[in-house]
Amino acid sequence: MRCQPGDDTDVWAATLAHRPPDVLDTVRDRFVANDVPPDLVRAALDDGGDALHAAVTSGATDWADKFGGPLPAALIAAEVSALAAHLNSRASAVRSLAVRELLDDYSAVTVAAHLAVSRQKVYEIGRAGTNGTYIDRVPWRGQP
Protein backbone atom coordinates (compact mmCIF):
# COMPACT_ATOMS: atom_id res chain seq x y z
CA MET A 1 0.00 0.00 0.00
CA ARG A 2 1.34 3.40 -0.94
CA CYS A 3 0.14 6.57 0.58
CA GLN A 4 -0.41 9.38 -1.92
CA PRO A 5 -1.01 13.01 -0.96
CA GLY A 6 -4.57 13.22 0.28
CA ASP A 7 -4.73 9.44 0.56
CA ASP A 8 -5.96 8.03 3.86
CA THR A 9 -4.29 4.61 3.44
CA ASP A 10 -2.25 5.09 6.62
CA VAL A 11 -5.39 6.05 8.55
CA TRP A 12 -7.12 2.92 7.32
CA ALA A 13 -4.09 0.77 8.18
CA ALA A 14 -4.14 2.14 11.74
CA THR A 15 -7.91 1.73 12.02
CA LEU A 16 -7.81 -1.84 10.72
CA ALA A 17 -4.63 -2.86 12.57
CA HIS A 18 -6.41 -5.98 13.85
CA ARG A 19 -6.84 -7.24 10.28
CA PRO A 20 -4.21 -9.51 8.70
CA PRO A 21 -2.21 -7.70 5.99
CA ASP A 22 -3.53 -10.00 3.26
CA VAL A 23 -7.15 -8.81 3.75
CA LEU A 24 -6.59 -5.22 4.85
CA ASP A 25 -6.87 -3.75 1.34
CA THR A 26 -10.05 -5.68 0.61
CA VAL A 27 -11.69 -4.58 3.85
CA ARG A 28 -10.60 -0.97 3.36
CA ASP A 29 -11.85 -0.96 -0.23
CA ARG A 30 -15.24 -2.27 0.90
CA PHE A 31 -15.59 0.63 3.33
CA VAL A 32 -14.39 3.16 0.75
CA ALA A 33 -16.76 1.79 -1.91
CA ASN A 34 -19.66 2.31 0.49
CA ASP A 35 -18.59 5.82 1.57
CA VAL A 36 -17.74 4.78 5.12
CA PRO A 37 -14.97 7.05 6.45
CA PRO A 38 -12.22 5.62 8.65
CA ASP A 39 -13.12 7.88 11.57
CA LEU A 40 -16.61 6.36 11.71
CA VAL A 41 -15.14 2.85 11.81
CA ARG A 42 -12.55 3.93 14.39
CA ALA A 43 -15.28 5.42 16.62
CA ALA A 44 -17.19 2.13 16.56
CA LEU A 45 -14.06 0.14 17.36
CA ASP A 46 -13.14 2.58 20.13
CA ASP A 47 -16.51 2.18 21.84
CA GLY A 48 -16.78 -1.56 21.15
CA GLY A 49 -19.95 -1.03 19.13
CA ASP A 50 -21.84 0.71 21.96
CA ALA A 51 -23.19 3.49 19.72
CA LEU A 52 -24.33 0.97 17.10
CA HIS A 53 -26.08 -1.10 19.73
CA ALA A 54 -27.72 1.94 21.33
CA ALA A 55 -28.94 3.15 17.95
CA VAL A 56 -30.41 -0.16 16.86
CA THR A 57 -32.14 -0.73 20.20
CA SER A 58 -33.48 2.84 20.39
CA GLY A 59 -36.57 1.95 18.43
CA ALA A 60 -36.00 4.84 16.02
CA THR A 61 -36.77 4.01 12.42
CA ASP A 62 -33.84 6.11 11.24
CA TRP A 63 -31.34 4.50 13.64
CA ALA A 64 -28.84 3.69 10.87
CA ASP A 65 -28.75 7.19 9.36
CA LYS A 66 -25.89 8.46 11.53
CA PHE A 67 -23.78 5.54 10.30
CA GLY A 68 -24.58 6.22 6.64
CA GLY A 69 -27.50 3.79 6.36
CA PRO A 70 -28.11 0.10 6.98
CA LEU A 71 -25.31 -1.18 4.71
CA PRO A 72 -22.57 0.96 6.30
CA ALA A 73 -23.99 0.10 9.74
CA ALA A 74 -23.75 -3.60 8.88
CA LEU A 75 -20.17 -3.19 7.62
CA ILE A 76 -19.16 -1.30 10.75
CA ALA A 77 -20.83 -3.89 12.99
CA ALA A 78 -18.95 -6.62 11.12
CA GLU A 79 -15.69 -4.79 11.82
CA VAL A 80 -16.49 -4.58 15.54
CA SER A 81 -17.08 -8.32 15.37
CA ALA A 82 -13.76 -8.84 13.54
CA LEU A 83 -11.95 -6.89 16.27
CA ALA A 84 -13.68 -8.93 18.98
CA ALA A 85 -12.67 -12.15 17.21
CA HIS A 86 -9.09 -10.88 16.97
CA LEU A 87 -9.01 -10.11 20.70
CA ASN A 88 -10.50 -13.51 21.46
CA SER A 89 -7.78 -15.19 19.39
CA ARG A 90 -5.12 -13.12 21.13
CA ALA A 91 -6.41 -14.14 24.56
CA SER A 92 -6.60 -17.79 23.48
CA ALA A 93 -2.97 -17.66 22.33
CA VAL A 94 -1.90 -16.31 25.72
CA ARG A 95 -3.93 -18.99 27.50
CA SER A 96 -2.38 -21.70 25.34
CA LEU A 97 1.16 -20.63 26.13
CA ALA A 98 0.37 -20.29 29.84
CA VAL A 99 -1.17 -23.77 29.95
CA ARG A 100 1.88 -25.20 28.20
CA GLU A 101 4.10 -23.69 30.86
CA LEU A 102 1.82 -24.97 33.64
CA LEU A 103 2.04 -28.48 32.21
CA ASP A 104 5.81 -28.33 32.68
CA ASP A 105 5.30 -28.17 36.44
CA TYR A 106 1.84 -29.60 37.15
CA SER A 107 -0.27 -32.52 36.05
CA ALA A 108 -3.05 -32.02 33.54
CA VAL A 109 -5.55 -32.95 36.25
CA THR A 110 -4.27 -30.19 38.52
CA VAL A 111 -4.28 -27.60 35.73
CA ALA A 112 -7.76 -28.71 34.69
CA ALA A 113 -9.07 -28.29 38.22
CA HIS A 114 -7.72 -24.75 38.43
CA LEU A 115 -9.12 -23.78 35.03
CA ALA A 116 -12.43 -25.59 35.56
CA VAL A 117 -12.06 -27.61 32.36
CA SER A 118 -11.54 -31.28 31.64
CA ARG A 119 -8.10 -32.86 31.48
CA GLN A 120 -8.62 -33.45 27.75
CA LYS A 121 -9.42 -29.76 27.28
CA VAL A 122 -6.15 -28.81 29.01
CA TYR A 123 -4.23 -30.76 26.36
CA GLU A 124 -6.32 -29.17 23.60
CA ILE A 125 -5.67 -25.67 24.97
CA GLY A 126 -1.96 -26.34 25.32
CA ARG A 127 -1.66 -27.52 21.72
CA ALA A 128 -3.39 -24.48 20.24
CA GLY A 129 -0.40 -22.14 20.45
CA THR A 130 -0.11 -18.85 18.66
CA ASN A 131 -0.88 -18.78 14.99
CA GLY A 132 -0.91 -15.14 14.11
CA THR A 133 0.19 -11.66 14.88
CA TYR A 134 -1.86 -9.57 17.23
CA ILE A 135 -2.33 -5.91 18.01
CA ASP A 136 -0.38 -4.72 21.03
CA ARG A 137 -3.12 -2.52 22.48
CA VAL A 138 -6.89 -2.39 22.20
CA PRO A 139 -8.09 0.73 20.34
CA TRP A 140 -9.82 2.23 23.35
CA ARG A 141 -6.59 2.46 25.39
CA GLY A 142 -5.05 4.96 23.01
CA GLN A 143 -1.37 5.40 22.43
CA PRO A 144 1.22 4.66 25.13
Side-chain angles (χ1 to χ4, degrees):
M1 294 186 304
R2 291 190 166 202
C3 188
Q4 301 296 326
D7 188 2
D8 57 3
T9 300
D10 288 344
V11 174
W12 277 113
T15 299
L16 302 173
H18 58 281
R19 288 293 197 156
D22 62 324
V23 300
L24 189 124
D25 289 344
T26 302
V27 174
R28 181 201 62 222
D29 292 349
R30 189 175 307 119
F31 282 120
V32 170
N34 288 285
D35 298 319
V36 181
D39 59 327
L40 195 58
V41 177
R42 169 59 80 191
L45 297 177
D46 285 349
D47 77 1
D50 285 350
L52 278 166
H53 178 71
V56 79
T57 59
S58 71
T61 57
D62 63 347
W63 69 268
D65 289 355
K66 69 180 184 179
F67 304 102
L71 179 56
L75 291 171
I76 294 166
E79 204 55 39
V80 171
S81 181
L83 173 61
H86 176 86
L87 295 175
N88 187 54
S89 293
R90 184 178 76 168
S92 292
V94 170
R95 182 175 71 161
S96 176
L97 291 172
V99 164
R100 258 191 256 158
E101 286 190 27
L102 287 168
L103 289 172
D104 288 342
D105 297 323
Y106 302 98
S107 72
V109 171
T110 300
V111 174
H114 283 285
L115 296 179
V117 297
S118 70
R119 178 178 52 84
Q120 292 81 6
K121 185 69 175 175
V122 166
Y123 291 123
E124 182 182 320
I125 293 168
R127 279 192 306 269
T130 61
N131 54 359
T133 57
Y134 303 102
I135 57 174
D136 294 326
R137 301 172 65 85
V138 292
W140 50 89
R141 285 207 45 220
Q143 297 303 317

